[in-house]
Amino acid sequence: MKLVVFGASGRIGTEVVQQAVAAGHAVTAVVREGSSLQVPLPELRLVAARAGVAGGLTEVVTADVMDPASITPVVAGHDAVLSALGPRPKGPSDVLTSSARSILHAMSDADVRRFLVVSVAGIHSGGDDLFTKYVVKPILQRILRDSFADARQMEEVIRASDLDWTIACPPRLTNAAAKGTFRSNTEGTVRGGFTMTRADVATYLLNAIDDAAVVRKTVVISN
């Protein structure tokens, strides 16, 4: 497939790009001005060669994700768009909401339908055990109220779209080695799902691209 990855310079984005290249996909990695891929292009192409795949083509594009007109030509001609953008660490922000709105606009103009985006599990509580629902989640929601508010608004914007979207919601992220397995739930949260490796989030996103069961679904995921 031909994939566009927004937030490609971030830690989840880097994993998505590396794994997609290793699987033979053609990847357009989008980074903001002043950023670059954490893994150099020659190394990514070596990954593809070692995997023995014919694809794995990669290009890096610098673009303003908040400007639909500038990213529409980037998105055009691709099979799917993945967003691994993260929220601002402190203070009120609408980076997730505004970027999602811009990407959806660009996708509609470019006639690209498949969109996968990373959100957060902490804003969902359906199916939680009582301790998590009434003790852990309220604490998290106070500490992370600004980023959670942005994530909630982003999800509302995406769910209002008529595109083929999937919202993936992992819990606390770690940089540990991939476990290779994960759990998911489209009807609520994942019991006991408190952490997930960034590598496994990337694997989930790539696996979900052609999974019809999660199209137009919000999916809570965890190791």
Side-chain angles (χ1 to χ4, degrees), residues 8-32:
S9 60
R11 285 177 289 186
I12 293 178
T14 297
E15 287 285 352
V16 172
V17 172
Q18 286 183 289
Q19 292 184 30
V21 168
H25 301 301
V27 180
T28 298
V30 185
V31 300
R32 67 180 183 275

Side-chain angles (χ1 to χ4, degrees), residues 77-186:
H78 287 79
D79 299 303
V81 176
L82 299 89
S83 176
L85 293 164
R88 291 285 183 264
K90 292 182 180 180
S93 170
D94 68 346
V95 64
L96 296 181
T97 304
S98 294
S99 62
R101 189 178 284 119
S102 178
I103 292 169
L104 290 168
H105 187 163
M107 290 178 65
S108 294
D109 287 349
D111 195 26
V112 176
R113 294 202 55 82
R114 191 70 176 107
F115 181 44
L116 300 97
V117 63
V118 179
S119 185
V120 293
I123 63 174
H124 301 280
S125 59
D128 280 342
D129 61 80
L130 294 179
F131 180 75
T132 300
K133 184 173 184 177
Y134 293 109
V135 178
V136 176
K137 289 287 178 70
I139 293 173
L140 285 177
Q141 288 166 6
R142 285 197 297 273
I143 296 172
L144 303 172
R145 60 184 178 276
D146 293 322
S147 58
F148 277 14
D150 190 16
R152 287 191 189 93
Q153 184 63 31
M154 175 192 71
E155 291 193 13
E156 290 179 11
V157 168
I158 294 171
R159 282 193 287 266
S161 167
D162 63 356
L163 297 183
D164 297 331
W165 50 266
T166 297
I167 301 170
C169 304
R172 184 173 66 85
L173 298 168
T174 76
N175 291 323
K179 296 185 177 180
T181 59
F182 38 76
R183 297 172 291 156
S184 64
N185 189 356
T186 60

Side-chain angles (χ1 to χ4, degrees), residues 21-82:
V21 168
H25 301 301
V27 180
T28 298
V30 185
V31 300
R32 67 180 183 275
E33 189 71 38
S35 296
S36 60
L37 289 181
Q38 295 182 31
V39 181
L41 279 178
E43 185 175 329
L44 285 171
R45 290 175 178 141
L46 182 59
V47 168
R50 286 174 174 169
V53 293
L57 301 177
T58 307
E59 64 173 335
V60 181
V61 174
T62 299
D64 180 4
V65 70
M66 302 301 183
D67 180 6
S70 72
I71 62 174
T72 297
V74 176
V75 168
H78 287 79
D79 299 303
V81 176
L82 299 89

